[in-house]
Structures are given as structure tokens and as C-alpha cells.
Amino acid sequence: MTNQPDPTRFAHVTDWVFDLDNTLYPHHSNLFSQIDVKMTAYVSELLHLPREEARKVQKELYREYGTTLKGLMERYHVEPDDFLQKVHDIDYNWLQPDPALGHAIRALPGRKFIFTNGNRSHAERAARQLGILDHFEDIFDIVAAGMTPKPAAESYDLFVALHTIAGANAVMFEDLARNLRVPKRLGMTTVLIVPKNFEPTFSEIWEQDLGEEDDVDYVTDDLTAFLTSVVA
């Protein structure tokens, strides 16, 4: 594993797949914190719980089902459209346009996709605010995945089938190592995005994803620099 990619190892790549939250936009923007607060409020209102208890339930659902929404659907029969609309009612001005990232993505040979556990509207608004939306072939969201979130294999199977992606010719960028497990098994090159200037020991990198280190080929805290280096 290295932060210094060899461009020859990416020369065969025809499909570039990017997670959205804390991947295409940086962790330090803190945009997802707005969504997190909205999710807690949703659980609080739905279950008539004080905020502290609602947050415990929310995190329990996330750990057990992969997303808060999946847990709410399974346990409480929540309508996904209502949840997705309310939790993504946030201020996208927290994101700064990133022309350097846009240039790096545009320069990549082949197709580019956003693959997110959020919904299409959220991905479109975030990517538009960053100034990178027009560089993507498609957005594969939680609705396209049949409400089955990453890291479930079914979600990736639907994505790969829809866009006829050969794993060996694809690379996936993610901020969660567990979401790279299936792509690695499909033959994709995998890149873990960590927060800027994040300098932990390797054991700390995997603190939230124990046992996933074998599924990650590269780790970087600078997506733009990484993309620029692989097409140099």
C-alpha cells in the first residue's frame, strides 16, 4: 500500500467510480454533519425520543443495517422518499467549488461515475456546488440500488450490471474501507480516501474497519493530487 501511485498500474482503467460523501468533497468541509443532525432529528420525531436517545438508535441502525434509512425501513417501515427529502435539506454552500478537482476528473480517460448511499438529488447538488457534475457519466444512488446500501454485494452487482463494468478495468474511491471489500473481490483497484493531513499509524486507519486492510490498494488524503499523478 502506498500514497504514491504508479501511473502504469492505472493505464488499463476505463471506469472510475467515486463515492460522494467525504470522498469527492473533503471531510473537512463537514457537510455530512448537517445530514447527521437531520437524521437524528428524524429518528427523534418518528420514535418520540429525546435527541440523545434518538442518536443512539440512529447509530445502532447504521451499524446493523449499513445505513440509518435501511434500518428505519426494516424496523419501522419508513417511506424512503420522506426520509431522503428531509435529511438532505441542507446548505450546500458549505462546499467550496473545486476547479482543480474538476480538471483532474475531466482528464481521466474513460467513464466516471458517482456511486453513493445517498440519493441522486443530494449527489447532483453537491457535485454541482463543487463544479464537477458535468464530468460524470451517471450517478448510481440508493434508489438505483433498490435501497440496499454499500457494502452489500447486491448493490455493487446492480451497479456493475447496469453499466457493464469489468472489475479489472475499474478503480473505486471510497472513504470507508469496508465499502471497498466487494470492489476488491470484483477485481477493481481500490483507493481509500482519508481526511486531509491525516497521519495515523496503519492500525488507526483501520480503527473503524478492522480486517479490511487487505481490500485497500492505495491510501491518500489528497484526491486531486492522486488523480493527477495517475494520468501523468
Side-chain angles (χ1 to χ4, degrees):
M1 219 162 358
T2 174
N3 285 326
Q4 303 300 322
D6 178 355
T8 63
R9 291 194 59 186
F10 291 82
H12 67 289
V13 174
T14 57
D15 293 304
W16 307 78
V17 187
F18 297 85
D19 175 49
L20 175 70
D21 297 309
N22 298 326
T23 298
L24 281 173
Y25 68 76
H27 184 274
H28 66 255
S29 72
N30 213 24
L31 184 71
F32 194 79
S33 67
Q34 294 186 63
I35 300 172
D36 198 38
V37 168
K38 296 273 189 180
M39 289 192 292
T40 299
Y42 190 98
V43 173
S44 176
E45 182 178 352
L46 177 72
L47 302 180
H48 307 290
L49 294 174
R51 185 187 181 282
E52 294 75 14
E53 290 300 313
R55 186 161 182 79
K56 290 178 182 177
V57 172
Q58 175 199 341
K59 296 306 178 185
E60 176 187 324
L61 294 173
Y62 173 76
R63 288 191 297 269
E64 184 172 345
Y65 295 95
T67 62
T68 302
L69 173 57
K70 184 69 171 178
L72 290 172
M73 291 172 63
E74 293 289 336
R75 286 196 191 177
Y76 305 106
H77 310 290
V78 163
E79 287 294 329
D81 289 346
D82 180 62
F83 176 88
L84 290 169
Q85 180 179 358
K86 289 179 178 177
V87 304
H88 291 119
D89 182 18
I90 61 174
D91 181 6
Y92 288 88
N93 288 320
W94 285 27
L95 296 180
Q96 296 297 316
D98 194 341
L101 176 60
H103 179 78
I105 293 173
R106 184 173 62 250
L108 298 172
R111 302 182 297 174
K112 302 101 182 187
F113 300 94
I114 295 175
F115 184 174
T116 176
N117 278 345
N119 66 353
R120 177 179 287 271
S121 176
H122 168 55
E124 287 178 344
R125 283 180 287 176
R128 185 177 294 112
Q129 179 67 18
L130 290 168
I132 63 175
L133 178 60
D134 292 342
H135 304 319
F136 291 93
E137 178 99 359
D138 194 19
I139 296 169
F140 188 85
D141 72 344
I142 192 64
V143 177
M147 297 299 168
T148 300
K150 298 176 287 185
E154 296 91 332
S155 179
Y156 301 89
D157 290 343
L158 287 169
F159 170 71
V160 167
L162 178 63
H163 293 293
T164 319
I165 291 175
N169 295 326
V171 57
M172 186 156 187
F173 300 83
E174 261 281 354
D175 69 308
L176 296 174
R178 60 181 172 274
N179 288 348
L180 292 172
R181 183 188 316 133
V182 173
K184 182 66 175 177
R185 292 174 184 173
L186 291 172
M188 296 184 188
T189 300
T190 57
V191 183
L192 181 68
I193 309 299
V194 297
K196 193 73 172 177
N197 299 320
F198 186 59
E199 297 180 352
T201 64
F202 276 132
S203 63
E204 288 172 319
I205 288 176
W206 317 116
E207 181 179 0
Q208 301 301 319
D209 286 309
L210 297 177
E212 304 295 343
E213 57 265 37
D214 291 339
D215 300 319
V216 175
D217 295 315
Y218 296 94
V219 178
T220 182
D221 68 354
D222 191 332
L223 177 60
T224 300
F226 189 95
L227 295 178
T228 301
S229 68
V230 300
V231 295

